[in-house]
Amino acid sequence: MAATKRVGRQREQLPHCYYEGFLEKRSFEDKASRRLWTCLCGNVLFFYNNTNDNYYVEKLELRGLISLTDDCSRDRNLEAARLILRMEDEEIKITAPSLEARELWKGFISSVVELSVPSSLNLLPGQIHMMRETVETERERLKTLSPTPAAASSSNLYLSLIGDMPACFQPVSRTEAEMILERHSDCGNLLIRPSRDGASLAVTTRQDLNGSVFRHYRVTRKHDGGYAIDVDIPIFCATLHDVINCLVDKTNGTLTPFIMEGPYEESIMFVQANEENGESLQCVPSTPMPPVPVPALPPKPGPERKALMPPLVPSVRTPRTSRSTSTDTPDTRLRSITVTSVPPHAVAQTISEELKLKLEKRRAQ
């Protein structure tokens, strides 16, 4: 089977890793070899860009392996050793960093494919023992992989539920779950994890009663939907979140979900290629972003104001006779002028003249 290029599941969701290390991989479609971190998990080779990646970029199923032979052509690195994996539909060329690494890769790949330790390899006793353990582990793993369609559907069902797990889910074994709960007791004392059969789940709890006391509960999914906590009287729940809430409620809050957050970076870091020294770690300076200017709103036009003018007083003229009578005095003329519609400054000037005239008459008397 050809290598598949895709972003795969997290490492914690993959089978047990038997062997890992850097390899240069090249297929017929590749223009040049690529140096990838390679993990042999089960009977599949998973390729990562580097050791810290959590998701693989390619995988190679070894079920279609036809032959595994040495490539005697020389590499520019004199210590490197090449290997050819002939599959059903293509040929994969692998370059190991050394002859010893090539022998180990050949041994582990042959062990998981043939389920037996190859006798033609030049290996140390400790390395042979490691491969025997690999064969036994792989045989046990294959037994749990459902020979029956019902078991197969259960296993696929479990993998489809990874994204719907509660926050206290941890992809660990029974022993690892006990260690985590004991070391991080301040983060909670209840977690959900995969079970040993790979087709169901389990809940692990811890309480401190003159020492750590651990309990484990199996959680299975029903074919008609929902889950069941397998105790003497099974407890049925609609979802996995309901399973956790049920255990918390029935213990009056004594059990609390285990939630542990990892540390966060305090600055933005990235790796940049350096032709002289290889890869180097770069730090982005923490400078505040300039504020975005807010455009000023245009003022709203107000109502047009008109100049205030004094109100016009209607002219009232008194009838005058052709000859001056005794009533035609300065006072009467003054009253007549004041009711006439004239500008204020003209009224003031007239009043001033009338007062001057009266003053002159009094002086003449």
Side-chain angles (χ1 to χ4, degrees):
M1 182 177 293
T4 304
K5 296 184 179 181
R6 55 178 287 245
V7 177
R9 301 196 305 270
Q10 297 185 19
R11 291 193 185 188
E12 295 84 355
Q13 303 172 15
L14 300 179
H16 178 72
C17 181
Y18 300 130
Y19 192 63
E20 59 184 352
F22 274 111
L23 290 176
E24 291 186 11
K25 171 185 171 295
R26 182 175 183 179
S27 63
F28 178 77
E29 298 177 353
D30 297 328
K31 296 181 180 180
S33 298
R34 291 181 298 155
R35 187 170 182 263
L36 301 170
W37 182 258
T38 309
C39 299
L40 176 61
C41 301
N43 57 355
V44 182
L45 288 174
F46 294 93
F47 300 96
Y48 300 83
N49 286 324
N50 55 63
T51 58
N52 297 325
D53 282 359
N54 201 25
Y55 296 89
Y56 66 85
V57 293
E58 290 187 31
K59 72 174 184 178
L60 179 63
E61 298 276 356
L62 297 176
R63 288 177 297 180
L65 181 65
I66 297 176
S67 64
L68 185 64
T69 57
D70 295 340
D71 184 358
C72 298
S73 60
R74 291 191 175 185
D75 189 82
R76 61 179 181 276
N77 181 6
L78 298 180
E79 296 182 356
R82 292 181 174 179
L83 189 65
I84 298 177
L85 282 72
R86 184 168 288 105
M87 314 300 293
E88 293 179 350
D89 53 356
E90 69 172 337
E91 192 175 85
I92 306 294
K93 293 185 178 182
I94 299 292
T95 302
S98 64
L99 289 172
E100 181 182 2
R102 184 178 68 177
E103 291 296 294
L104 288 173
W105 278 110
K106 288 169 58 178
F108 279 102
I109 291 175
S110 299
S111 297
V112 298
V113 172
E114 301 174 3
L115 294 179
S116 61
V117 179
S119 58
S120 59
L121 300 178
N122 186 15
L123 301 172
L124 298 175
Q127 296 170 342
I128 295 176
H129 178 71
M130 292 172 56
M131 293 181 188
R132 286 175 180 171
E133 290 182 341
T134 298
V135 171
E136 294 176 1
T137 305
E138 182 65 10
R139 285 177 177 172
E140 292 297 325
R141 188 186 73 87
L142 293 176
K143 288 180 181 180
T144 61
L145 287 182
S146 74
T148 62
S153 61
S154 300
S155 178
N156 294 333
L157 188 60
Y158 160 69
L159 292 177
S160 66
L161 294 173
I162 292 296
D164 299 328
M165 289 294 180
C168 60
F169 172 76
Q170 295 290 328
V172 295
S173 63
R174 173 187 288 236
T175 304
E176 292 171 338
E178 295 178 353
M179 293 174 59
I180 289 177
L181 292 177
E182 190 167 22
R183 291 179 181 177
H184 306 280
S185 58
D186 57 331
C187 298
N189 56 3
L190 176 153
L191 62 82
I192 188 170
R193 59 177 177 81
S195 64
R196 290 181 177 178
D197 59 11
S200 60
L201 299 168
V203 172
T204 299
T205 65
R206 173 192 175 274
Q207 286 187 273
D208 192 358
L209 302 173
N210 297 325
S212 297
V213 177
F214 299 99
R215 291 182 174 87
H216 306 273
Y217 305 91
R218 185 187 301 275
V219 178
T220 58
R221 179 162 185 176
K222 300 301 178 182
H223 294 288
D224 55 350
Y227 300 86
I229 305 175
D230 290 343
V231 289
D232 291 340
I233 301 177
I235 302 174
F236 297 95
C237 302
T239 65
L240 290 175
H241 296 274
D242 293 335
V243 171
I244 301 301
N245 294 334
C246 174
L247 293 173
V248 173
D249 294 340
K250 288 187 176 296
T251 59
N252 296 323
T254 303
L255 298 179
T256 57
F258 179 84
I259 299 176
M260 181 177 64
E261 291 189 356
Y264 294 95
E265 299 292 341
E266 297 181 356
S267 60
I268 301 176
M269 311 288 290
F270 65 98
V271 177
Q272 190 174 23
N274 190 329
E275 296 181 356
E276 296 181 357
N277 302 323
E279 296 179 348
S280 61
L281 188 63
Q282 303 291 331
C283 178
V284 177
S286 300
T287 55
M289 296 294 292
V292 179
V294 179
L297 296 176
K300 294 183 178 180
E304 184 179 356
R305 295 185 178 182
K306 297 182 179 180
L308 298 178
M309 300 295 292
L312 296 179
V313 180
S315 299
V316 179
R317 297 181 178 273
T318 56
R320 301 182 61 181
T321 59
S322 61
R323 291 184 300 174
S324 175
T325 62
S326 59
T327 58
D328 187 14
T329 63
D331 293 334
T332 57
R333 288 196 301 270
L334 178 61
R335 286 194 297 268
S336 174
I337 293 172
T338 55
V339 298
T340 306
S341 174
V342 293
H345 65 276
V347 174
Q349 184 178 358
T350 304
I351 292 174
S352 178
E353 292 177 355
E354 293 291 337
L355 291 176
K356 184 186 291 187
L357 181 60
K358 290 177 65 176
L359 183 60
E360 290 176 355
K361 287 183 177 182
R362 286 182 182 180
R363 287 179 180 177
Q365 292 178 357

